[in-house]
Amino acid sequence: MLFQPMVWMTILSFVVTLIFILWRPKGVNEAIPATIGAVFVLLSGSVSLSDLGLITETISGAAITIIATIVMAIVLESFGFFNWVAEKLAEKARGSGIRLFWYVNLLCFLMTLFFNNDGSILITTPILVMLLNNMGLKNHQKIPYLLSGGLVATASSAPIGVSNIVNLIALKIVHMSLYLHTAMMFVPATLGLLFLVFLLYLRFKKVLPKTVPVKVSGLTLTSYHPLKPGPKYSSGKERSKFMRNVLLFVFAVRISLFVASYIGIPVSVMAVIGSLVLLGWRWAYLKIPPVDMIKKTPWYILVFAFSMYVIIYGLNNIGLTDWLIGFMRPMVSGSLLHASVMMGTLLSVLSNIFNNHPALMVGTLTLTHMGLDMLTLKVAYLANVIGSDMGSLLLPMGTLATLMWMHIIRKGKIKFSWWEYVKVTVVVIPPATLFTLVILYYWVSSLFGGALQ
């Protein structure tokens, strides 16, 4: 079977697509090579036209949820929210470089929870570059804030599935609700993130500046993601009150996603309603009609998610899943701890080699064909998520978010090589990932073991 044209054409399409997504010659959008690869997979015959209907059903809810979330972020930018956040970050640090380090990581964690990992990278990294440049810090002093923020922003998609499109797609595949995912994952993943930040602090402790400017001025950035000052306010107090109200609304929308999941309403419905209300708020407050969203919304995400899943589905249909079942079955047998640690480690390795999006999809599809009991399936799946969201950060090519982060900081004239990146991640990512996987086992087995047997 290996030498059949359908098989080698599907495998070649996957490999070439991955190379071009990671390489992105001349900054080509990743949706373009993904679409071309999907077309070749369709032409090979490994994915039928009837399969496309199932693929659309699987990814549509996740893609709509992510798009709606990004729309909310664009609206917040119109309000001048992110410029306000940058100023508050400097103010809250109160002149302490160490306090600024912890606030930066808290900001990146919250941004991912409120929006998503890619959006967090695209929004917070330019904010930090702008802030650190205005503070006049040296290049080596900027790295602790930027690198820790980038790692935390990406890894923070693990606690709640709605913060990453591939997590949402995987949830659909294993028929797991967003509510249950969060109940089982939020505590272990958050503890793992705290441990990761602690390790990063120990690694950068000697480099962090003891003092930083309390106030910064001229918060403008034109290198990648321009931040607009927003509307005029009669006073700083009025501005802060308005921003807090907007933030409370976004938080309420985020909570509504979990409520919807719990009572059986599609999460995407609540996400769309929230974005529409925020668009209406902006129209009433700033007199900006919603038509600009047609141009500003990154619709290519829909194309990218659909195309990548077509390619992965083709690999599944030519027998990759069957091969992986034989390889992975021993890893999930014996004990839940074994399943958690081994599956998380495997997905970490696969993510760093092939990128976390295809790695998690392949790993999740394989789990669904292994005939596992409910508890083992859930633990193994959650371990996959930890491996693809946190373990994937060992190398810059492990996630698209990290590649975007590298691109943004270089645009901001921050000197930082892949080798310098790996010198830090090799000492913090493996122990943080292993710690999280072990905590996951104890948390799930002690609180949910009886309910899922």
Side-chain angles (χ1 to χ4, degrees):
M1 182 179 178
L2 181 61
F3 298 103
Q4 292 180 5
M6 178 182 70
V7 175
W8 63 256
M9 190 173 176
T10 301
I11 295 174
L12 185 63
S13 298
F14 169 70
V15 173
V16 174
T17 298
L18 202 58
I19 290 172
F20 273 89
I21 287 174
L22 297 175
W23 178 23
R24 292 181 66 196
K26 295 184 179 180
V28 64
N29 190 292
E30 56 266 23
I32 294 176
T35 302
I36 295 172
V39 169
F40 275 100
V41 168
L42 285 170
L43 292 175
S44 75
S46 59
V47 173
S48 65
L49 292 178
S50 61
D51 289 333
L52 294 182
L54 179 61
I55 292 170
T56 301
E57 181 186 352
T58 302
I59 72 138
S60 58
I64 291 171
T65 301
I66 292 297
I67 288 293
T69 303
I70 293 174
V71 166
M72 294 180 72
I74 296 171
V75 173
L76 289 185
E77 183 185 6
S78 301
F79 286 141
F81 178 80
F82 302 120
N83 201 293
W84 175 77
V85 166
E87 294 174 5
K88 287 297 178 182
L89 200 61
E91 180 185 315
K92 292 292 182 182
R94 299 201 302 273
S96 169
I98 293 176
R99 192 178 289 115
L100 179 64
F101 175 84
W102 290 99
Y103 272 117
V104 162
N105 286 285
L106 176 62
L107 170 66
C108 292
F109 172 74
L110 293 176
M111 289 296 285
T112 298
L113 260 63
F114 282 146
F115 302 105
N116 59 69
N117 63 329
D118 292 340
S120 181
I121 289 291
L122 287 170
I123 294 167
T124 56
T125 308
I127 289 175
L128 295 178
V129 170
M130 169 184 63
L131 186 63
L132 298 171
N133 285 341
N134 275 270
M135 285 181 168
L137 300 184
K138 297 177 181 178
N139 190 85
H140 72 280
Q141 294 176 316
K142 299 173 185 175
I143 298 302
Y145 302 105
L146 291 169
L147 181 55
S148 61
L151 294 176
V152 169
T154 306
S156 294
S157 58
I160 59 173
V162 76
S163 293
N164 188 325
I165 188 170
V166 72
N167 288 2
L168 281 169
I169 294 172
L171 278 175
K172 181 77 173 180
I173 295 172
V174 296
H175 305 292
M176 190 175 185
S177 70
L178 179 62
Y179 169 80
L180 182 59
H181 174 282
T182 306
M184 299 175 75
M185 182 71 111
F186 188 83
V187 170
T190 302
L191 291 175
L193 283 166
L194 286 171
F195 186 57
L196 173 61
V197 177
F198 176 69
L199 293 176
L200 286 165
Y201 172 72
L202 293 180
R203 174 64 177 77
F204 289 127
K205 188 177 180 181
K206 295 181 180 179
V207 185
L208 289 171
K210 291 184 178 179
T211 59
V212 294
V214 177
K215 290 188 177 181
V216 292
S217 59
L219 291 179
T220 58
L221 181 74
T222 58
S223 61
Y224 188 84
H225 181 74
L227 294 175
K228 300 175 184 178
K232 299 284 186 180
Y233 297 93
S234 60
S235 66
K237 187 176 180 180
E238 181 199 349
R239 182 189 185 202
S240 293
K241 181 180 179 180
F242 178 81
M243 295 304 176
R244 279 194 293 268
N245 289 339
V246 171
L247 190 59
L248 285 172
F249 174 78
V250 174
F251 180 70
V253 172
R254 213 60 170 167
I255 293 297
S256 73
L257 302 184
F258 301 98
V259 175
S261 174
Y262 182 74
I263 63 178
I265 298 174
V267 171
S268 57
V269 172
M270 299 306 298
V272 169
I273 291 174
S275 63
L276 290 176
V277 171
L278 200 58
L279 277 170
W281 191 350
R282 186 188 67 161
W283 195 355
Y285 194 78
L286 299 181
K287 311 304 179 188
I288 301 176
V291 291
D292 65 326
M293 288 298 135
I294 297 175
K295 182 179 179 180
K296 292 181 179 179
T297 302
W299 302 105
Y300 71 87
I301 290 176
L302 299 173
V303 179
F304 176 75
F306 182 82
S307 299
M308 282 304 297
Y309 197 69
V310 168
I311 296 172
I312 297 304
Y313 208 81
L315 291 173
N316 173 65
N317 288 346
I318 64 172
L320 176 64
T321 301
D322 295 332
W323 179 82
L324 283 174
I325 286 174
F327 179 74
M328 294 165 62
R329 194 183 297 277
M331 296 185 181
V332 296
S333 61
S335 71
L336 287 177
L337 179 60
H338 196 240
S340 178
V341 173
M342 295 305 294
M343 287 306 302
T345 301
L346 175 64
L347 260 291
S348 297
V349 173
L350 291 177
S351 295
N352 282 287
I353 296 174
F354 299 118
N355 188 261
N356 67 335
H357 277 238
L360 182 58
M361 287 186 189
V362 169
T364 305
L365 278 171
T366 303
L367 287 176
T368 60
H369 290 84
M370 293 179 68
L372 302 173
D373 65 84
M374 190 65 70
L375 183 58
T376 304
L377 174 64
K378 295 292 188 283
V379 170
Y381 162 70
L382 295 175
N384 280 358
V385 171
I386 291 169
S388 69
D389 287 351
M390 183 181 289
S392 61
L393 297 172
L394 184 63
L395 300 177
M397 64 184 183
T399 73
L400 288 175
T402 309
L403 292 174
M404 287 191 298
W405 176 85
M406 294 287 286
H407 177 67
I408 295 170
I409 66 167
R410 285 170 181 167
K411 282 274 190 177
K413 297 181 171 39
I414 309 294
K415 296 179 181 179
F416 193 62
S417 67
W418 277 39
W419 172 238
E420 290 172 307
Y421 175 96
V422 174
K423 282 198 299 185
V424 175
T425 56
V426 74
V427 296
V428 299
I429 294 302
T433 304
L434 181 60
F435 173 83
T436 309
L437 292 169
V438 172
I439 294 296
L440 171 70
Y441 157 72
Y442 282 109
W443 175 259
V444 173
S445 60
S446 60
L447 270 69
F448 299 93
L452 296 175
Q453 287 291 356

